Every structure is written in C-alpha cells, then in structure tokens.
Amino acid sequence: MHIVDLASRPDLADAALDLGDVGGQFIYAGMSGKIITVERFLRHWGRYFLIALEDDVPIARTLSVPLAFPADDRTELPDHGWDEAIQWAAQDKMDGRAPNALCALEVVIDPKHRGRHLSSEMLKALKARAQETGLSRLIVSVRPIGKEDEPKTPMAEYVNRRRPDGLFADRWLRTHERLGAKMIKICPFAVTISGSFADWREWAGIDLVDGDNLFPGGIAPIIASAERDYGVYVEPNVWMEHPM
C-alpha cells in the first residue's frame, strides 16, 4: 500500500469517492457539505485529499482542509464543528489568510479492506502531511461511529462511556485516542442540514413524519413538521486534537 494525493493523481477522484460515505450521502446536502467538491479540492486543497492505493486501486481516502486556528477571531474550536471548520477554510482561502492547522473531515475505508487498521494509517498520513506543509495542529470533528445505534442518547452521556481499560467505548473515538488524540469538547451543532420532505426522501430515502425521525446513518433524529414541509437534522460531534 502507498498513499498519494489528489493534486498528483486527479484521475483517481471518481474511484476514491466511490469508496462510500461517512454515514451516508445526506451528509453533503448541507450548505457546508456543498463547499467540499472535488473541483474545489483540486483547485485549493488537493494536497490534503489523500488516497491509499493497492495495485493502483483506491482502498481508502481521507479529506482535510487547512485553516487558521487559533487566530485573532478564533480563540476556541467552534460549537458548529464540521460545518464551521469548512467555512473557516473557505473564508481563509478568500481572505488570503495563511493556515496553521489541518482539520480532518472524513476517513473512508473500502468495506473489503476493513480490519486492517487503515483508518489509523490514514490519520497518520494526515499528520505527516500537516507537518510537511508547515501546519502545527491536527484537529478533527469526530463523528462517533457507534452513535448510529443510539441516535437519541445525549452525546455527553455517550462519549463519557469508557471500557474497563479506560479507553473510549466507541471504537472510532478509541482509534483517535490510541494515536494520542485528546478530546477537547463536544460540538453540539457540528452538522446542520435542512430540507423539505421531498429533499429528505432524495437524500436519505426516508418518508418523514411529524416529530422525531430516526433513519439509517443518522446519529441524531431529523425533527420534522408536515405543516411547514421541512425536516432539520442537527448532528453533534466531538472535537479531538492529535499531538504533533
């Protein structure tokens, strides 16, 4: 296995994206998700879209964006997590502000190659890329993978569960922790997506009803109103920082 980036291998974009999504394609339906297109990564952040290859076939990918944190107007990690990190990166690009940190957005592994610790290898590769490009921090708005099984459990309760050995009970949080990452705080509004009933049918294959709606891939319910014809999804994540 070896790792390349989108800047050097733009021909791999489609195959890398075909590996799947984190939670589901609906995650990219929000305003921030629409910012992180392949075209923008090629223009602005191609070195931070890493692809693991085996026999020149993508088996894993990880996306990240460089941003300024801390900065004069950014003294703590945002409650809006993933969404605001993407917006910060876009603002910095428009304003010409030099980044000093790298924010990981996702790690996706080909289902056929799970169980090989590729997630850890991709996080290590992101850390190395941050160092190579002069960035001093690696932060992640972590989406706990086991939370999909407990969408109604408050995040504060979920993340405080520990195994007898003291490590996080959630395996994705635990992967970061084993690499030395520390939990900074919960970001309660990390991803916000809103749309009509028809939108949600297209995005997630769900027919909404009034009230809370649980759906595959979600780690929180969609709150819907038939009278107003909208459903709102607000996903909490957990900010973690890896040592550099």
Side-chain angles (χ1 to χ4, degrees), residues 64-82:
S64 60
V65 288
L67 50 82
F69 176 78
D72 291 342
D73 56 339
R74 300 172 186 168
T75 57
E76 64 177 272
L77 291 169
D79 286 345
H80 288 270
W82 194 84

Side-chain angles (χ1 to χ4, degrees), residues 30-227:
M31 292 299 100
S32 295
K34 291 176 181 177
I35 292 174
I36 54 171
T37 63
V38 169
E39 292 77 15
R40 286 197 181 93
F41 264 92
L42 278 171
R43 284 201 305 270
H44 305 302
W45 305 308
R47 296 188 67 190
Y48 302 103
F49 185 135
L50 304 183
I51 305 165
L53 298 176
E54 201 163 73
D55 297 326
D56 211 42
V57 175
I59 61 172
R61 74 169 189 266
T62 182
L63 279 65
S64 60
V65 288
L67 50 82
F69 176 78
D72 291 342
D73 56 339
R74 300 172 186 168
T75 57
E76 64 177 272
L77 291 169
D79 286 345
H80 288 270
W82 194 84
D83 277 350
E84 195 155 357
I86 294 169
Q87 292 170 27
W88 280 1
Q91 290 165 5
D92 293 341
K93 181 59 64 173
M94 290 186 290
D95 294 343
R97 177 153 61 171
N100 56 11
L102 189 62
C103 181
L105 300 179
E106 66 173 29
V107 177
V108 176
I109 309 299
D110 184 335
K112 300 189 297 293
H113 293 274
R114 289 175 184 164
R116 296 176 52 186
H117 306 291
L118 292 179
S119 295
S120 295
E121 294 305 312
M122 298 307 285
L123 289 169
K124 291 175 185 176
L126 275 186
K127 181 176 176 178
R129 181 52 50 93
Q131 292 170 328
E132 293 163 6
T133 54
L135 306 178
S136 60
R137 305 183 83 150
L138 176 60
I139 54 176
V140 193
S141 180
V142 181
R143 184 183 204 265
I145 195 165
K147 188 72 169 59
E148 291 184 14
D149 298 327
E150 302 182 41
K152 288 195 171 184
T153 301
M155 185 63 86
E157 175 185 334
Y158 184 83
V159 300
N160 281 316
R161 295 176 187 165
R162 296 276 180 170
R163 303 193 317 179
D165 61 6
L167 296 175
F168 281 117
D170 183 88
R171 61 186 173 90
W172 187 220
L173 292 171
R174 195 165 61 245
T175 295
H176 290 271
E177 188 174 33
R178 282 179 165 151
L179 294 174
K182 302 295 183 184
M183 185 174 80
I184 307 301
K185 69 175 195 177
I186 293 169
C187 36
F189 324 113
V191 180
T192 300
I193 304 169
S194 58
S196 68
F197 277 39
D199 288 333
W200 280 107
R201 191 176 301 112
E202 177 185 349
W203 296 337
I206 181 174
D207 290 314
L208 297 179
V209 297
D210 276 318
D212 287 357
N213 292 258
L214 307 182
F215 66 108
I219 68 172
I222 301 167
I223 302 171
S225 167
E227 179 183 358

